[in-house]
Amino acid sequence: MSNIDWSKTQFETRAIHDGQEPEEQTGAVIVPIYQTSTYAQTGVGEHKGFEYARTDNPTRTALQTSIASLEGGEWGLAYGSGMAAIQNILYMLVPGDHVLMSDDAYGGTFRLIDKIFARYGIEYSMVDLSDLDQVREGLRDDTKMVITESPTNPYLKIVDIAGVSNLMRERYGEPTGEALAWEAGTRDFQLTRPVLLVDNTFASPYLQTPLAHGADLVVHSATKYLGGHSDVVLGLVIGNDPSIQRFMKFHQNAAGAVPGPFDCWLVLRGLKTLGIRMREHSANAMRIAEWLKQDPAVKEVYYPGLPDHHNHEVAARQMRAFSGMVSFSVHGGWESASRVVAATKVFTLAESLGGVESLIEHPGQMTHLSTAGSKAEVGDDLIRLSVGIEHIDDLIADLEQALEVASPAGAVAD
Ligand SMILES: *Cc1c(COP(=O)(O)O)cnc(C)c1O
């Protein structure tokens, strides 16, 4: 049984088996929840690879092995939240380093850099990373990290990951050697070249594997599609570079933002159905995006699966399908949008995304309230859907009745 090389198997098979073989002592088919803080030693320093649960826990190890396999990376690390994972990555930066990020970055990522890391001398600037000309102009001599998401939130812009990686290679040369110079045990660490970090939360590894397109690091809020059932908060980082792994593993233990074993178990359980869920999310979202386009109350639909999406070609090249997030604007401004989001019955009015149940929200007043007045401000007539895996007919019927309360085209000045 354990002789099989899972790396040769398909995604759906790896999601169920890799890192999760039956437990040896009892034969338990599912990785147990190792709810322990410490491990018995037979002599000083003689143990089975586990000493203390901040450092390592077998349930967490299984999850880290599984996500590395699914993203096609050499290693994975798990954290107490997506933000804790991003924070651990940012620890690689030192004063004077520059970060280039997206002008519609996830609000929590922006807040962490702008309100905390900038205090320690980390510089940043923001451009529209879906436009490669802006990426080229935004890269600086002191740039050490490019942080991107694709699709982005809430306008579902698509960033050409291979395109950004190629621009970085053109500017800084082909990567050679390890990315982080650090002698373990000392304080002297420094990135030797800029790294490309992709937040893959909106796509999931079933739809897109950024490492294969030239990214150095992938981060996930597993709270979303990977967990998939809106019942856990957890973060994951995946990469190939061994120097980054050593440093991040050191920091994971030193700072201790680790997830509990039950949370790891919930995400492992979610991963087993990731492929089948992402296919359903994507199919339902595609139908809804097409349906919304013909509704007279709708002004514009944002979905990378639509042929008229301005980076549809890139999305089709780097993604297997287009995921479950759909945004659209309605006629009649925020009053109209507010009425629609309060009128759905199957779609629940709530923040977050990626669960099996459909959610609806008003970014301007909810997830993106903090962008008001900034460059990243979102339209107040915008509505964001996290399309779940309920039956498509029920979802469309629900949106149809909700959109009846929106102002029809022309009834209210936009
Ligand atoms: C939710 C989210 C995060 C933050 O993850 P948490 O698990 O909530 O800490 C980061 N990036 C994206 C794109 C997200 O949607």
Side-chain angles (χ1 to χ4, degrees), residues 248-265:
M248 288 196 54
K249 172 75 196 149
F250 172 80
H251 254 292
Q252 184 197 40
N253 181 53
V258 293
F262 181 52
D263 290 353
C264 293
W265 184 89

Side-chain angles (χ1 to χ4, degrees), residues 79-86 105-109 149-153 199-202 219-224 232-236 352-353 384:
Y79 296 85
S81 69
M83 290 323 303
I86 293 171
Y106 176 69
T109 306
E149 296 156 30
S150 188
T152 69
N153 184 16
D199 182 333
N200 205 23
T201 300
F202 270 44
V219 67
H220 276 286
S221 171
T223 313
K224 316 293 167 53
V232 62
V233 172
L234 191 141
L236 294 164
S352 199
L353 62 117
R384 188 187 79 177

Side-chain angles (χ1 to χ4, degrees), residues 133-378:
D133 289 332
Q134 290 196 36
V135 178
R136 190 182 287 107
E137 280 160 31
L139 293 172
R140 302 188 343 197
D141 288 346
D142 55 357
T143 301
K144 282 290 157 59
M145 197 174 285
V146 177
I147 304 181
T148 178
E149 296 156 30
S150 188
T152 69
N153 184 16
Y155 284 107
L156 304 166
K157 288 196 237 170
I158 296 291
V159 175
D160 180 348
I161 299 168
V164 174
S165 167
N166 288 338
L167 282 178
M168 290 172 71
R169 277 154 212 263
E170 271 170 35
R171 163 109 194 207
Y172 306 104
E174 281 299 313
T176 54
E178 296 192 332
L180 190 87
W182 177 50
E183 205 176 314
T186 74
R187 306 184 174 132
D188 294 316
F189 56 86
Q190 174 106 52
L191 283 164
T192 62
R193 56 177 147 90
V195 291
L196 173 58
L197 165 64
V198 177
D199 182 333
N200 205 23
T201 300
F202 270 44
S204 91
Y206 180 70
L207 300 183
Q208 162 179 294
T209 48
L211 297 175
H213 299 286
D216 298 285
L217 288 169
V218 172
V219 67
H220 276 286
S221 171
T223 313
K224 316 293 167 53
Y225 284 114
L226 303 190
H229 296 75
S230 304
D231 52 12
V232 62
V233 172
L234 191 141
L236 294 164
V237 180
I238 307 93
N240 285 321
D241 188 290
S243 64
I244 295 180
Q245 181 192 25
R246 282 196 301 278
F247 183 80
M248 288 196 54
K249 172 75 196 149
F250 172 80
H251 254 292
Q252 184 197 40
N253 181 53
V258 293
F262 181 52
D263 290 353
C264 293
W265 184 89
L266 283 171
V267 175
L268 274 171
R269 176 176 164 136
L271 287 177
K272 288 175 193 289
T273 55
L274 182 63
I276 195 169
R277 283 188 288 111
M278 293 316 293
R279 288 201 292 270
E280 281 297 302
H281 283 296
S282 300
N284 277 356
M286 189 69 169
R287 287 275 304 275
I288 286 174
E290 284 166 347
W291 180 84
L292 285 169
K293 274 196 89 93
Q294 54 73 52
D295 191 283
V298 172
K299 249 164 84 180
E300 202 163 345
V301 182
Y302 304 90
Y303 186 64
L306 293 174
D308 62 1
H309 181 283
H310 96 285
N311 263 349
H312 173 70
E313 307 272 284
V314 178
R317 193 164 68 229
Q318 75 188 14
M319 300 177 80
R320 197 199 293 240
F322 304 100
S323 199
M325 301 302 295
V326 179
S327 293
F328 63 100
S329 54
V330 287
H331 294 284
W334 78 266
E335 282 181 21
S336 182
S338 303
R339 279 203 303 274
V340 173
V341 299
T344 54
K345 299 185 170 97
V346 182
F347 282 82
T348 303
L349 178 58
E351 300 195 1
S352 199
L353 62 117
V356 289
E357 65 288 318
S358 292
L359 303 181
I360 190 166
E361 67 125 355
H362 186 269
Q365 292 168 87
M366 294 170 69
T367 50
H368 289 65
L369 188 59
S370 65
T371 65
S374 80
K375 200 178 157 195
E377 181 164 359
V378 299

